[in-house]
Amino acid sequence: MIQIAVFSDVHGNLPALDVVLNDMEKRGIRQKFCLGDLVDFAPWGNEVIEKIKSLNIPCLLGNHDERIAFDLPVFPLSKHSEEETEARFIAIDHSKKYITEENKIFLSELPFHLKLNYKVGRKHWNIQLLHSSMESNDTYLYESENDEVFMNMLEDSKADLIVMGHTHLSFKKQFENKKWALNCGSVGRSKEENRLASYLILTLDEERIIPEIVQLSYPLEETVRKIEESNMPNYYASFLRNDRISMS
């Protein structure tokens, strides 16, 4: 039996990341992978990057990582309210100034996809890790998508299982051919009602893969207070408190 942990979308939330990593440690999970978006929204972008670097955790290039690493322009999104649009511009602009050059280089060198192959007894398992899709790190794929969308991704990647993040909403979908499409949710900026830090454990044996979504509480009020004391917009403090604002 092999266990691996997959997490995504930390978005500068170091307290949430620490809780998630500590939980993996308590469970004795040594294989850890991150699907990207280390930066933006909470004020510990550099600290999160440095923790991932120090622990040698393989990480993908999320859309926010790419934007900060390469100083890409920011465009309004139609799904965002005026309030969120303003907050998003301020937060990303702050990250572009705050993230160190060394850490921007680290982000710029992250891979886009990662394919894993594990051998358990006589069985080989192929696992495709993505930030959001095979073609893009900025595509929103939800649990409600037509099964054919995920089946095509599984076929394209020649995988038994695909794991993605990006939407900040976890899900598990298994198909008739026993293959899986999974979203590990978000560590640092969950859009789920409970706002808990979310990650995925995969247990692999010779017969099957068992996915488990783990959701953990973390020092939310401390995190909110630090956001309010930082140069990040208070919008994201309200978001974590789940005040009745846009969930986009």
Side-chain angles (χ1 to χ4, degrees), residues 31-171:
Q31 297 285 313
K32 307 176 182 75
F33 300 90
C34 178
L35 304 185
D37 272 3
L38 301 180
V39 297
D40 285 341
F41 305 132
W44 296 278
N46 282 315
E47 292 84 348
V48 165
I49 293 169
E50 285 153 14
K51 175 148 289 191
I52 296 297
K53 286 162 61 176
S54 69
L55 295 174
N56 293 314
I57 297 175
C59 184
L60 301 184
L61 178 72
N63 57 304
H64 283 266
D65 305 320
E66 183 177 19
R67 187 177 290 119
I68 300 307
F70 298 104
D71 194 22
L72 300 181
V74 186
F75 301 101
L77 301 178
S78 58
K79 65 176 183 171
H80 288 166
S81 66
E82 184 177 337
E83 180 186 12
E84 182 167 7
T85 296
E86 181 182 5
R88 180 170 166 266
F89 272 72
I90 293 170
I92 293 171
D93 182 64
H94 174 67
S95 291
K96 287 182 176 183
K97 296 173 182 174
Y98 167 74
I99 301 301
T100 67
E101 288 305 312
E102 181 181 352
N103 285 337
K104 286 179 181 178
I105 292 170
F106 172 80
L107 294 178
S108 74
E109 295 174 345
L110 295 176
F112 195 69
H113 293 161
L114 189 61
K115 183 79 167 284
L116 308 176
N117 180 280
Y118 286 93
K119 186 174 185 294
V120 188
R122 292 171 295 177
K123 177 66 177 178
H124 284 268
W125 294 112
N126 290 301
I127 299 170
Q128 180 69 61
L129 303 183
L130 314 162
H131 183 69
S132 69
S133 77
M134 293 295 292
E135 296 80 21
S136 167
N137 63 7
D138 203 10
T139 300
Y140 289 87
L141 297 176
Y142 297 100
E143 186 174 7
S144 58
E145 300 292 334
N146 189 300
D147 287 357
E148 186 178 355
V149 172
F150 299 114
M151 293 296 292
N152 288 339
M153 292 170 67
L154 285 160
E155 176 63 27
D156 290 345
S157 62
K158 301 294 187 288
D160 300 294
L161 180 149
I162 53 174
V163 189
M164 65 204 85
H166 186 57
T167 65
H168 304 192
L169 294 166
S170 62
F171 67 77

Side-chain angles (χ1 to χ4, degrees), residues 5-6 19-20 23-24 27 29 170 172 183-187 192 196-202 211-217:
V6 185
V19 166
V20 165
D23 191 69
M24 295 174 192
R27 295 171 185 261
I29 300 174
S170 62
K172 300 187 291 185
N183 192 305
C184 61
S186 170
V187 169
E192 299 182 41
L196 298 178
S198 176
Y199 79 99
L200 172 71
I201 297 174
L202 297 175
E212 177 189 0
I213 301 290
V214 179
Q215 296 191 323
L216 304 168
S217 59

Side-chain angles (χ1 to χ4, degrees), residues 168-200:
H168 304 192
L169 294 166
S170 62
F171 67 77
K172 300 187 291 185
K173 294 189 75 163
Q174 188 175 32
F175 307 103
E176 289 183 0
N177 60 3
K178 305 301 183 184
K179 296 190 176 187
W180 290 92
L182 305 167
N183 192 305
C184 61
S186 170
V187 169
R189 192 175 174 245
S190 172
K191 294 181 181 177
E192 299 182 41
E193 190 70 20
N194 59 30
R195 296 302 200 257
L196 298 178
S198 176
Y199 79 99
L200 172 71

